[in-house]
Amino acid sequence: MNPFFISTGNVQEPQAFTLISLQDAHCPGTVSGTATVGTNPAPMGAIQQDIPICTGDSTSLTLQLSGGTVYDVTIGGGLSPIQLNGVVNGATFTVAPTSTTTYSITSLVTTGNTCPVLIGAPATVTVSNLSATATIVDYNGFG
């Protein structure tokens, strides 16, 4: 049995292709059969929601992943890239920026899905420098 290829650039849902004729350079042949071509959703990744923190605190950010089952993800935006291997949808990672930082997915790979990757929204961790001011008032000894 010789394999054959269906060349189509716009399969957006599963389709069945039925063989209707077969011929080589010398003679026609008998054909039968149907081939079903399935589709994979594009791998997609995003980081959930912006979060405010105070100076010196850390926070967890959550990945929204689809189009596969297990992923290798690289996160950029911090001092150095964060590499997460073998994670699933809903995985979290912890960051502790010293200043406001936006984290985004820079690489997303899932096994068995070679569709182009779609990268969604980043998340910004806003670092607040809280300060307090105290004022002492003397009310002529009554305060």
Side-chain angles (χ1 to χ4, degrees), residues 89-111:
N89 182 42
T92 61
F93 60 99
T94 302
V95 295
T98 56
S99 62
T100 297
T101 304
T102 299
Y103 295 92
S104 61
I105 296 174
T106 58
S107 173
L108 175 65
V109 176
T110 185
T111 304

Side-chain angles (χ1 to χ4, degrees), residues 3-84:
F4 67 95
F5 298 96
I6 298 171
S7 178
T8 180
N10 195 20
V11 176
Q12 296 179 7
E13 58 185 55
Q15 294 180 7
F17 293 88
T18 303
L19 300 174
I20 57 172
S21 69
L22 175 68
Q23 183 173 346
D24 67 9
H26 305 285
C27 56
T30 304
V31 298
S32 66
T34 302
T36 301
V37 176
T39 60
N40 288 327
M44 294 189 298
I47 303 173
Q48 279 187 332
Q49 79 188 43
D50 298 340
I51 298 176
I53 64 171
C54 294
T55 300
D57 287 350
S58 64
T59 189
S60 291
L61 297 173
T62 302
L63 295 173
Q64 292 177 308
L65 305 169
S66 63
T69 53
V70 178
Y71 306 84
D72 293 337
V73 182
T74 306
I75 310 295
L79 296 175
S80 59
I82 299 168
Q83 183 64 47
L84 305 169

Side-chain angles (χ1 to χ4, degrees), residues 128-143:
S128 297
N129 296 317
L130 297 178
S131 61
T133 304
T135 303
I136 300 175
V137 178
D138 184 357
Y139 292 103
N140 293 329
F142 294 105

